[in-house]
Amino acid sequence: MKIIYTKGRVLFTLSLLVALLGVNFNALATPPCTPPTLSATPTDMTCHGTTNGSVSLTVSGGSLPYSFSWTSSTGFMSTNQNISGLDSGSYTVVVTEGGTCTSTTTVIVSEPAPLTVFTASNAPFCPGGTLTLYATPTGGTAAYAYSWSGPAGFSSTDQSPNIPAATAANNGVYNLLVTDAHSCTVPSTFSVLLYPSPVVNLGADAYICGSGGSTTLNAGNPGSTYVWNTSATTQIITVTLPGSYWVTATNFYACSESDTNNVSASPYVTPTDTIHESLNNICFGVPVTFTATVTNGGTNPSFNWSKNGLFISGATNSTYTDAALNNGDYIVNRVTSNFPCALPVNTVYSDSIFMGVTANLPVSVTMTHTPDTACSGTPVTFSATGVNGGGGPSFQWIRGGVVVGSGTSYTYSPTTTDTVIVNMVSSLVCHQPDTARDTSTFVIYPHLIPYASVSFSPNDTVAYLGAVVTFFCASTYAGTSPTFQWYVNRVAVVGATNSSYARHVYENDTVRCVVRSNAICAIPNKDTSNAVIIYASFLDVTDINATGNGVSLFPNPTAGNFTLTGAVGVRNDDELQIEVMDLKGSVVYRKSIASQRGQINEPLNLAGQLANGVYFLRIISDADQKQLKLIINK
């Protein structure tokens, strides 16, 4: 026989003798083991019906590793060392150590009894007693906490709270929430209803009116029992003497209430109503308060005010205020007494109050100033004209936010554009508004001296006599429509009254312009411009290759009729050519004349052919040419 031990387990090599010998070699081959020691600690469920129980298992002894097998009667199984999420019950674990040894232990997980609460109160009872609420919790885990809520804002944390002097306002549903030591909760709701009390009201203190009169007192609450201080036991009693009377009424629930009425004696009286106003003879819009004074009106008389015979909605107090009265309006008050002995009538009317009301006249003021326009430093007078100012209105003049004058007018010398305000307060009793105002903003014109300056085109020297030069007069500070006058050589040119002036130049000229300003405050109102001198180019009128005496024409300037006389530079009779040219060099007239022994004396009439201006007349012969200046001035 051969025995081999491997890792605590026995392997046997047996011969056929083993069976014959009958020896239990397994027992001889198993080595000894140590069972593990177990310690299980349960944690019970916190609230009834929850699954939050657990077991903590501690293992010692034996050899590692350990294996775990948990079971319960409810079918729970687990191979964890520690288990949780448990319901109540018995839990068994089998622990096997590294060899073959096992240990077993059983633990109980408990749950608390269900948390319940019984609630009640000492109701019903008659109002006025102390209401006590009761709470009796069972199950769960002590200690318990309480949270009450109920009608009329009730709340409490007592187990059995009290509500003293309870009334019908404490009737209703009460809620309770009980919390145990593990925060398990249970709610409860119940209702409280007190017995109703009789409502005893003998009314306002009564009166016995007149001689031999009486009054009745009624305790109400039919079906109740009554005890009067007169020993009467009925609901209603009749009294004929003044005094204090009280009654206690007890209803079906044995709840009682009492009341007292102090009865007085009085003769029959008639109420009176007298009214007066706070103001009269007023201006329209002034509020007036009317006040009623009542005698024998009782404890709570009623009022109705009327205007012009019509009752006024909402005017039901002892005073009435009106701010919309017109002249002739009348006010009356009606009063109804609640005094029991106000007989035979309890409603009376006051006398009428007639109102004197004066209409408010519209007040205005208008300002004017003289002159309408002014230059800087010129005195300006402002005048105020009032409407409905009365016999003695007051005026106030304001400039720059400062009061500068009073009275109906104000004068000062402004230097710049300014604003003046006038206020007028009417002396009339009834006017509107209290203060009238007018404002005037006026323009002050500065003193501006006009200035004139002359320019010209094209230049200050003409290229030929009779050329046109245009002069321009520029003006500043001359207003919107200045006037112009041109002067040549200090002589005014008739009709030259525009800002420009064109002139034919035949000789040296000195040109000026005078500007007159239409500006309001132009002092002085005119200016004379600078002087412009225009130079004329004199072209010599001399013979050309002349060999004898010269030729002249007369008159020159001429209206067109003139005579040519003189020697033309030839000695024999000869035919000459006469040509007249304008300043542009164009021939505007041509004629043939004859000379006698070199002399000419030829009258010419060109009045209908030439316009005013400067021309050149040429005398052409075979021997030479002569040129003369011809001026046509018709």
Side-chain angles (χ1 to χ4, degrees), residues 564-587:
L564 287 174
T565 60
V568 295
V570 295
R571 298 186 182 279
N572 299 317
D573 295 341
D574 196 4
E575 183 175 317
L576 306 176
Q577 193 70 25
I578 303 296
E579 290 183 350
V580 178
M581 298 179 296
D582 61 18
L583 294 177
K584 297 180 180 180
S586 300
V587 176

Side-chain angles (χ1 to χ4, degrees), residues 393-613:
S394 62
F395 296 87
Q396 185 183 66
W397 297 90
I398 300 172
R399 196 179 84 246
V402 178
V403 177
V404 294
S406 60
T408 58
S409 64
Y410 165 64
T411 301
Y412 88 111
S413 299
T415 57
T416 60
T417 297
D418 206 351
T419 298
V420 173
I421 298 172
V422 63
N423 292 331
M424 184 190 77
V425 177
S426 173
S427 64
L428 293 175
V429 175
C430 298
H431 61 273
Q432 193 176 20
D434 290 338
T435 301
R437 168 173 288 196
D438 194 16
T439 301
S440 176
T441 299
F442 56 95
V443 178
I444 294 298
Y445 296 91
H447 294 288
L448 299 177
I449 300 174
Y451 174 76
S453 175
V454 171
S455 60
F456 48 85
S457 178
N459 49 54
D460 62 351
T461 302
V462 296
Y464 51 88
L465 295 179
V468 176
V469 176
T470 301
F471 302 88
F472 303 94
C473 187
S475 61
T476 56
Y477 305 123
T480 56
S481 300
T483 60
F484 303 88
Q485 177 62 60
W486 291 91
Y487 288 80
V488 176
N489 301 326
R490 300 184 182 277
V491 178
V493 180
V494 177
T497 57
N498 294 321
S499 60
S500 62
Y501 166 57
R503 175 176 177 80
H504 295 275
V505 177
Y506 300 107
E507 55 191 358
N508 294 347
D509 290 331
T510 299
V511 180
R512 292 181 177 85
C513 175
V514 174
V515 174
R516 290 186 180 272
S517 172
N518 74 331
I520 295 174
C521 299
I523 300 175
N525 70 338
K526 70 175 182 177
D527 184 45
T528 301
S529 74
N530 55 306
V532 174
I533 300 175
I534 301 299
Y535 297 93
S537 296
F538 291 100
L539 300 178
D540 293 335
V541 183
T542 58
D543 295 339
I544 301 176
N545 298 323
T547 60
N549 295 330
V551 178
S552 64
L553 59 84
F554 181 83
N556 191 18
T558 174
N561 295 316
F562 59 92
T563 301
L564 287 174
T565 60
V568 295
V570 295
R571 298 186 182 279
N572 299 317
D573 295 341
D574 196 4
E575 183 175 317
L576 306 176
Q577 193 70 25
I578 303 296
E579 290 183 350
V580 178
M581 298 179 296
D582 61 18
L583 294 177
K584 297 180 180 180
S586 300
V587 176
V588 296
Y589 177 79
R590 181 180 284 113
K591 182 180 180 180
S592 297
I593 64 173
S595 65
Q596 296 178 354
R597 298 179 182 178
Q599 298 290 323
I600 60 172
N601 185 12
E602 181 72 24
L604 295 174
N605 184 2
L606 304 181
Q609 301 181 51
L610 299 181
N612 289 346

Side-chain angles (χ1 to χ4, degrees), residues 125-432:
F125 55 84
C126 293
T130 298
L131 174 62
T132 301
L133 309 177
Y134 301 102
T136 305
T138 58
T141 305
Y144 305 103
Y146 306 89
S147 177
W148 291 91
S149 63
F154 170 76
S155 64
S156 177
T157 58
D158 294 339
Q159 180 177 357
S160 297
N162 294 319
I163 302 175
T167 66
N170 301 112
N171 288 339
V173 176
Y174 287 81
N175 300 298
L176 171 64
L177 182 68
V178 177
T179 304
D180 71 0
H182 288 155
S183 298
C184 304
T185 61
V186 61
S188 179
T189 300
F190 68 101
S191 297
V192 169
L193 182 63
L194 304 184
Y195 289 137
S197 287
V199 179
V200 180
N201 183 6
L202 295 178
D205 288 343
Y207 283 85
I208 298 172
C209 301
S211 176
S214 64
T215 188
T216 59
L217 302 176
N218 190 340
N221 302 283
S224 298
T225 61
Y226 307 91
V227 177
W228 293 86
N229 63 334
T230 62
S231 299
T233 58
T234 58
Q235 176 183 337
I236 302 172
I237 66 171
T238 300
V239 296
T240 58
L241 297 175
S244 180
Y245 296 84
W246 58 262
V247 64
T248 298
T250 304
N251 64 12
F252 173 79
Y253 300 101
C255 298
S256 299
E257 287 290 340
S258 300
D259 192 24
T260 299
N261 191 289
N262 296 310
V263 178
S264 302
S266 172
Y268 288 109
V269 296
T270 299
T272 62
D273 184 11
T274 303
I275 62 174
H276 64 276
E277 72 278 29
S278 60
L279 296 170
N280 209 327
N281 297 318
I282 59 170
C283 299
F284 180 80
V286 174
V288 177
T289 298
F290 301 87
T291 303
T293 302
V294 178
T295 61
N296 299 320
T299 58
N300 187 27
S302 62
F303 301 89
N304 294 99
W305 294 89
S306 64
K307 180 165 70 172
N308 301 329
L310 299 176
F311 285 111
I312 304 166
S313 176
T316 56
N317 296 318
S318 61
T319 60
Y320 163 66
T321 300
D322 196 329
L325 294 166
N326 292 303
N327 190 46
D329 284 351
Y330 63 94
I331 302 297
V332 175
N333 180 49
R334 182 185 72 180
V335 65
T336 300
S337 172
N338 74 333
F339 184 55
C341 299
L343 294 174
V345 294
N346 64 345
T347 298
V348 294
Y349 290 84
S350 71
D351 291 335
S352 299
I353 292 180
F354 288 86
M355 296 302 301
V357 180
T358 302
N360 291 310
L361 296 178
V363 177
S364 63
V365 63
T366 302
M367 183 197 319
T368 58
H369 54 81
T370 304
D372 291 337
T373 57
C375 303
S376 176
T378 301
V380 178
T381 297
F382 299 84
S383 300
T385 302
V387 176
N388 294 322
S394 62
F395 296 87
Q396 185 183 66
W397 297 90
I398 300 172
R399 196 179 84 246
V402 178
V403 177
V404 294
S406 60
T408 58
S409 64
Y410 165 64
T411 301
Y412 88 111
S413 299
T415 57
T416 60
T417 297
D418 206 351
T419 298
V420 173
I421 298 172
V422 63
N423 292 331
M424 184 190 77
V425 177
S426 173
S427 64
L428 293 175
V429 175
C430 298
H431 61 273
Q432 193 176 20

Side-chain angles (χ1 to χ4, degrees), residues 79-109:
T79 58
N80 295 326
Q81 179 177 352
N82 300 315
I83 56 176
S84 60
L86 306 180
D87 201 349
S88 61
S90 174
Y91 293 85
T92 301
V93 63
V94 176
V95 180
T96 304
E97 53 84 46
T100 60
C101 293
T102 62
S103 293
T104 302
T105 187
T106 299
V107 68
I108 303 298
V109 174

